[in-house]
């Protein structure tokens, strides 16, 4: 008995296109028609390959955090807390103001722009963000270069507040150059470096 027809599209390319649409418009702001048009497939193909819109978004989130957002996990490998923070803050600027990507952050946009019907998506994004913040806290707990009175939990929250703020500013139209200035001041302030 022969198998089903082979896919007439490249799933990886289709996912990249879905990522771009969700990143630019958010989960709720993206319709199935916009997704299928961008991905170059019809609805039955989308459902067959990726499931429904929510399942596709979860797959896109995986791709986002392991591709354009991978710098955040890689930053945790830096040898000092200061370098971890620097890589996260500067990485946030690069991610959210890229010349070939939508401005802003997919996860920040998805947390703030989901209504009650999309709460499962919002909760999924929150859970992933909280896991990232917990990983950062654990990294700070191991850091030898932090003062003894520095609370790793509060520092992790502060770093996330800064990177989220960068994402919001990028989505609001601030330029890469402007946000590099903000990042530089944040790093000087955090680590009490001379101007």
């Amino acid at each position: 008995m022969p198998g089903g027809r082979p896919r007439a599209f490249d799933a990886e390319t289709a996912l990249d296109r879905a990522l771009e649409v969700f990143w630019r418009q958010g989960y709720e702001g993206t319709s199935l028609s916009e997704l299928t048009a961008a991905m170059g497939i019809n609805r039955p193909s989308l459902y067959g390959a990726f499931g429904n819109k929510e399942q596709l978004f979860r797959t896109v989130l995986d791709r986002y955090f392991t591709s354009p957002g991978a710098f955040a996990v890689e930053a945790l490998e830096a040898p000092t807390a200061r370098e971890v923070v620097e890589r996260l803050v500067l990485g946030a600027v690069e991610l959210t103001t890229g010349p070939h990507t939508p401005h802003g952050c997919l996860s920040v946009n998805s947390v703030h722009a989901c209504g009650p019907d999309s709460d499962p998506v919002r909760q999924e994004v929150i859970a992933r963000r909280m896991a990232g913040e917990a990983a950062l806290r654990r990294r700070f707990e191991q850091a030898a270069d932090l003062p003894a009175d520095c609370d790793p939990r509060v520092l992790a929250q502060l770093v996330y507040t800064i990177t989220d703020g960068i994402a919001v500013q990028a989505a609001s139209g601030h330029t890469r150059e402007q946000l590099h200035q903000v990042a530089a001041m944040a790093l000087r302030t955090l680590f009490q470096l001379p101007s």
Side-chain angles (χ1 to χ4, degrees):
M1 181 167 153
R5 287 189 322 184
R7 285 192 184 138
F9 66 93
D10 180 334
E12 298 300 310
T13 300
L15 274 175
D16 286 339
R17 291 177 180 163
L19 169 58
E20 185 177 335
V21 175
F22 279 129
W23 192 345
R24 187 174 55 251
Q25 299 178 189
Y27 178 78
E28 275 201 353
T30 300
S31 70
L32 282 173
S33 297
E34 290 166 321
L35 284 168
T36 55
M39 296 167 78
I41 60 176
N42 59 30
R43 284 186 189 204
S45 294
L46 185 148
Y47 294 137
F50 305 108
N52 63 21
K53 179 182 171 184
E54 184 177 326
Q55 292 167 319
L56 173 61
F57 184 77
R58 290 174 194 269
T59 302
V60 162
L61 272 180
D62 291 338
R63 194 172 198 83
Y64 180 76
F65 286 121
T66 59
S67 190
F71 76 91
V73 172
E74 293 164 4
L76 299 178
E77 302 299 321
T80 66
R82 178 178 172 173
E83 289 175 85
V84 169
V85 173
E86 185 174 299
R87 290 181 188 185
L88 287 171
V89 171
L90 295 177
V93 173
E94 296 305 310
L95 173 71
T96 62
T97 62
H100 304 294
T101 58
H103 287 190
C105 172
L106 174 64
S107 69
V108 171
N109 293 345
S110 299
V111 166
H112 297 291
C114 278
D117 291 342
S118 300
D119 195 56
V121 167
R122 183 175 180 273
Q123 293 305 318
E124 171 75 18
V125 175
I126 289 171
R128 290 181 188 222
R129 292 174 55 73
M130 295 303 290
E133 189 175 308
L136 182 58
R137 184 203 72 233
R138 288 190 300 273
R139 174 62 184 87
F140 288 152
E141 289 170 348
Q142 300 166 357
D145 62 319
L146 288 179
D149 63 346
C150 181
D151 184 332
R153 180 188 58 80
V154 175
L155 181 58
Q157 277 186 299
L158 177 58
V159 171
Y160 262 66
T161 300
I162 292 167
T163 58
D164 286 358
I166 287 170
V168 170
Q169 293 291 314
S172 299
H174 287 76
T175 67
R176 179 176 287 204
E177 294 73 27
Q178 290 171 322
L179 293 175
H180 270 292
Q181 291 172 349
V182 169
M185 181 176 283
L187 292 169
R188 281 195 309 269
T189 303
L190 276 173
F191 295 101
Q192 301 172 352
L193 300 174
S195 306

